[in-house]
Amino acid sequence: MTISPDGSRVVFVRSRGGADPAGCLWSFDVASGSEQLLLDPVAALGGADEDLPAEEKARRERAREVAGGVVSYVTDDDARLALVPLSGRLFLVPLDGSSPARDLDVDAPVLDPRVSPDGRLVAYVSGGALRVAGLDGTAPRVLLTPESDDVVYGLAEFVAAEEMDRMRGHWWSPGSDRLLVARVDESPVQRWYIADPANPASPPNEVRYPAAGTADADVSLSITSLSGERVAVEWDREALPYLVRASWTTGGLVLQVFSRDQQRAVTLSVDPDSGMTTTLREDSDQSWVDAVPGVPTALPDGRLLHVVAEAGADVHALAVDGVVVTPGALDVSAVLRADDDGVLLMAADDPMQTHLYELAPGGELVRLSGGEGVRVDGVHVGSSRGGTTVLTSATLGEPRARTTVRRGDVVLELRSFAETPAVTPAPVLLLAGRRHLRTALLLPTGWEPEHGPLPVLMDPYGGPHGRRVAHASGLFRESQWWADQGFAVVVADGRGTPGRGLTWDREVRLDLATAPLEDQVDALHAVAELHPELDLTRVAIRGWSFGGYLAALAVLRRPDVFHAAVAGAPVTDWRLYDTFYTERYLGHPDEHPEAYELSSLTGMVAGLTRPLMLVHGLADDNVVSAHTLRLSSALLAAGKPHEVLPLSGVTHMTPQEEVAENLLLLQLDFLRRALHLG
């Protein structure tokens, strides 16, 4: 959502229906409550199918973007115009609807366009070079040209986009006269080759993948004028190689850089004229320092807005120049805006919720989610500007999220064209076991105790960055579908999952296996004590990504508890996963080899006595299919029967309708056979 500075207009992306994945750009007039279609991608492309550049496909994979059409756009500071990339082309859209969108004559393919704050220019990447063009039709010119095929200017490297929540590599100055630009040199990074076995005539796709213990991309920064003059930004890149955040506001240019072990984070101010840096603060942690989206950044008056790890309250607190400005129980998860009107942030004092707050310039903190003085349990995200608040709220009481526009006493609703879900989730939320694990139990629709005991399906993610149990109906749709097939489904968030505090997060340090698996077992037994209808002689577990790892781990380590597993896209050898994520939790493999042995599955194959199905997309460039293939080879060598389902052409996501639907049915068939359900 983008709100105009005066709060009169809201710009947003929405498709035409739940069965249409192509997003369109719309405008909503707050005074009249009317909508206007600003850009239809089908019409803009003349009915042609999308033809995405390889770099855009990779960006969408990193962002977990499954839609098409308009999936991103940028505006100038005054929200007078938007730029929309489509199929490598760039469209300019006047946001007042006064004239139709037009195709800009720029070098294609266009990647990551960014409008200058004054709305006169656009910077973008094409062919690895950073280019600038005038929105008045001035021809594009190259500002920075890559010195080799291994170098790109202005884009985020793999680990930044995949793990740091930094999706960009160039930033305009507030005066629109210069840019901060990242130079990414991937020559140190090892080459991996991802083939398509279903099409042997096609050459393999070469990717640069920084696996744990190997070299990362070399990232440097320069401040570049519109004439191409460059000033290098100086900091100790050997000691602090990770560029985690960059922010250039009227209050100043601020960077956050991390050491490779992520136990040290340094916030720097940059002199744009000389490129020299000054340390504003240092943060350290014996496990790791957390990176919070949106901070650090400079407020308009030059003060530093950042988060601090409040050890006493065990939360991330918002601070200004080191002084905490949020109450002790509130855990800040992201800062969305920081300007003269105040600070907009996402935070919660309950790990099963997310709320939107605004910190006024005078220091008053106001919760924007919910009614006047009323707290509505749920997951709330949104935006606020110029006296207008847009809030998208997901709750347990409604099948779909609702988006409301509030200005003063007027509350309007943006129409949703989403399909009505085919299932109605009815989760029972519990605090399970001695650790009060946030847990949900879902039973078959219409089930009654006299119907008899139910086989159990554990359905976790269970690891860092993935919360599954919250006050949002949409989180449980697939779990309810499984329940309606005749299972009691248990979803539990164990140690390492977000929202329970800093100590909770760090319980997985140097061991990603033991605590997450123990918590799944504890949640299962705690729920069964309350609900004797759970048949603990027939317990299965399924999951994807970390959840897939956890599912395979469960039958390898605890066959006494788990009787079958479906492991989708599992990490089986942590040495094959990326540097930033893996080394944060397990350390460098040369320094902590025992942590990798303890956490990896390939050394546990002798323990398999239960049915196991492994599922993997062969085009996955995040958790590459080598994880499943190596585990399968080890199981075969040990004489352990198992099933492997390869998905040709599928990445780490499975958005294709035929894949998503039939994958569920194939898993269901496997689990029925494995648990002898008839």
Side-chain angles (χ1 to χ4, degrees):
M1 303 288 177
T2 298
I3 305 173
S4 61
D6 62 0
S8 66
R9 185 171 60 248
V10 178
V11 181
F12 62 98
V13 174
R14 182 185 60 199
S15 76
R16 296 182 184 275
D20 181 1
C24 299
L25 191 66
W26 301 78
S27 177
F28 179 84
D29 183 84
V30 177
S32 66
S34 60
E35 296 179 356
Q36 182 178 8
L37 176 62
L38 298 176
L39 181 65
D40 177 351
V42 176
L45 296 176
D49 292 335
E50 284 189 284
D51 182 16
L52 299 178
E55 298 90 342
E56 173 62 11
K57 291 180 181 178
R59 186 200 68 80
R60 295 189 186 191
E61 185 73 19
R62 304 285 76 78
R64 305 297 189 265
E65 176 61 70
V66 299
V70 179
V71 300
S72 64
Y73 68 93
V74 290
T75 73
D76 63 321
D77 279 2
D78 292 333
R80 294 171 300 175
L81 59 90
L83 291 180
V84 181
L86 287 175
S87 289
R89 295 156 59 185
L90 188 60
F91 291 82
L92 187 150
V93 185
L95 293 180
D96 61 3
S98 58
S99 58
R102 59 185 175 90
D103 192 351
L104 290 176
D105 184 15
V106 293
D107 302 310
V110 172
L111 302 170
D112 197 22
R114 300 283 171 175
V115 186
S116 61
D118 63 9
R120 296 186 305 107
L121 303 168
V122 57
Y124 64 98
V125 179
S126 185
L130 183 72
R131 304 164 192 255
V132 171
L135 298 184
D136 59 359
T138 304
R141 61 187 184 278
V142 176
L143 288 187
L144 296 171
T145 303
E147 296 82 1
S148 72
D149 292 341
D150 292 318
V151 174
V152 63
Y153 283 97
L155 295 181
E157 73 277 19
F158 176 90
V159 293
E162 182 67 38
E163 308 295 0
M164 300 179 198
D165 197 41
R166 177 172 65 80
M167 299 295 295
R168 60 189 300 187
H170 63 278
W171 299 261
W172 279 101
S173 69
S176 302
D177 58 342
R178 290 179 282 189
L179 291 125
L180 176 69
V181 185
R183 178 185 184 271
V184 176
D185 181 358
E186 291 192 313
S187 59
V189 184
Q190 64 184 359
R191 290 178 172 87
W192 280 3
Y193 301 90
I194 299 176
D196 182 3
N199 295 284
S202 300
N205 181 32
E206 179 183 306
V207 299
R208 298 286 192 158
Y209 194 93
T214 68
D216 281 298
D218 180 23
V219 180
S220 57
L221 289 171
S222 64
I223 297 167
T224 304
S225 71
L226 297 181
S227 61
E229 297 173 350
R230 300 167 60 183
V231 174
V233 177
E234 303 289 347
W235 82 93
D236 188 352
R237 293 195 293 118
E238 184 174 348
L240 301 160
Y242 286 133
L243 173 66
V244 177
R245 295 282 177 265
S247 170
W248 203 346
T249 69
T250 56
L253 173 53
V254 174
L255 309 178
Q256 186 180 49
V257 289
F258 276 34
S259 59
R260 172 140 179 176
D261 63 12
Q262 301 172 58
Q263 294 175 5
R264 180 182 174 217
V266 179
T267 300
L268 304 169
S269 66
V270 183
D271 180 345
D273 296 321
S274 68
M276 300 303 293
T277 57
T278 302
T279 298
L280 297 177
R281 66 176 287 115
E282 289 199 26
D283 295 279
S284 61
D285 190 289
Q286 291 183 345
S287 295
W288 64 81
V289 178
D290 289 303
V292 176
V295 286
T297 188
L299 293 170
D301 60 9
R303 292 180 298 163
L304 181 68
L305 183 72
H306 59 101
V307 296
V308 295
E310 282 284 83
D314 205 30
V315 298
H316 291 107
L318 193 67
V320 177
D321 279 348
V323 178
V324 172
V325 294
T326 49
L330 201 64
D331 189 30
V332 177
S333 56
V335 171
L336 307 178
R337 172 178 57 78
D339 55 24
D340 290 324
D341 293 333
V343 178
L344 188 69
L345 60 141
M346 290 168 54
D349 55 9
D350 177 346
M352 293 192 289
Q353 304 199 46
T354 301
H355 287 274
L356 194 68
Y357 291 83
E358 190 164 43
L359 181 69
E364 181 186 7
L365 185 68
V366 178
R367 179 172 46 78
L368 302 180
S369 44
E372 184 68 30
V374 177
R375 176 183 174 124
V376 178
D377 292 342
V379 175
H380 307 271
V381 297
S383 186
S384 183
R385 193 182 188 192
T388 295
T389 297
V390 181
L391 194 69
T392 298
S393 299
T395 66
L396 286 177
E398 297 188 73
R400 299 180 299 188
R402 296 179 59 202
T403 298
T404 56
V405 179
R406 184 169 71 233
R407 186 172 178 85
D409 295 330
V410 177
V411 180
L412 304 170
E413 186 168 344
L414 285 182
R415 290 181 296 164
S416 171
F417 298 156
E419 296 288 335
T420 300
V423 296
T424 302
V428 177
L429 301 186
L430 305 165
L431 301 182
R434 58 189 176 89
R435 294 189 184 90
H436 293 169
L437 302 168
R438 272 55 181 180
T439 304
L441 172 65
L442 299 101
L443 300 174
T445 301
W447 181 88
E448 297 292 344
E450 58 266 24
H451 295 162
L454 291 167
V456 183
L457 178 63
M458 303 293 290
D459 192 18
Y461 181 79
H465 311 294
R467 177 180 64 169
R468 286 289 315 277
V469 182
H471 288 268
S473 177
L475 292 172
F476 300 105
R477 288 180 192 144
E478 194 165 307
S479 296
Q480 184 66 57
W481 181 88
W482 280 101
D484 290 346
Q485 310 313 307
F487 293 91
V489 178
V490 177
V491 185
D493 287 344
R495 281 169 286 177
T497 56
R500 289 286 300 271
L502 309 183
T503 303
W504 181 268
D505 291 345
R506 284 152 178 75
E507 290 283 341
V508 297
R509 171 69 176 164
L510 299 180
D511 183 356
L512 283 166
T514 303
L517 181 55
E518 283 181 353
D519 287 349
Q520 294 301 312
V521 175
D522 289 352
L524 170 66
H525 290 158
V527 173
E529 287 184 8
L530 298 172
H531 293 269
E533 62 268 23
L534 273 63
D535 181 357
L536 296 188
T537 68
R538 297 180 295 172
V539 178
I541 183 170
R542 67 180 288 270
W544 195 267
S545 197
F546 193 96
Y549 162 74
L550 192 51
L553 176 70
V555 289
L556 289 169
R557 273 202 180 177
R558 296 299 306 269
D560 57 316
V561 176
F562 300 97
H563 307 100
V566 176
V571 176
T572 65
D573 184 346
W574 287 100
R575 293 175 182 84
L576 292 178
Y577 201 58
D578 72 61
T579 52
F580 194 83
Y581 181 101
T582 312
E583 293 176 17
R584 179 195 302 135
Y585 303 114
L586 299 182
H588 195 286
D590 292 345
E591 299 171 3
H592 299 280
E594 73 289 345
Y596 286 77
E597 293 300 324
L598 182 64
S599 300
S600 296
L601 304 180
T602 46
M604 306 179 191
V605 294
L608 185 65
T609 59
R610 299 296 191 182
L612 170 63
M613 171 186 274
L614 300 169
V615 185
H616 220 117
L618 298 181
D620 196 334
D621 68 350
N622 178 22
V623 183
V624 295
S625 60
H627 284 274
T628 282
L629 298 176
R630 288 190 183 186
L631 180 60
S632 177
S633 295
L635 290 168
L636 182 63
K640 300 295 183 179
H642 61 286
E643 297 186 19
V644 179
L645 178 60
L647 305 176
S648 180
V650 172
T651 64
H652 200 59
M653 304 182 290
T654 55
Q656 303 93 333
E657 291 178 28
E658 67 280 3
V659 173
E661 177 178 352
N662 290 311
L663 184 55
L664 284 174
L665 297 175
L666 289 170
Q667 292 177 69
L668 176 61
D669 176 71
F670 170 80
L671 292 178
R672 282 176 171 166
R673 288 187 284 112
L675 297 179
H676 307 290
L677 298 181

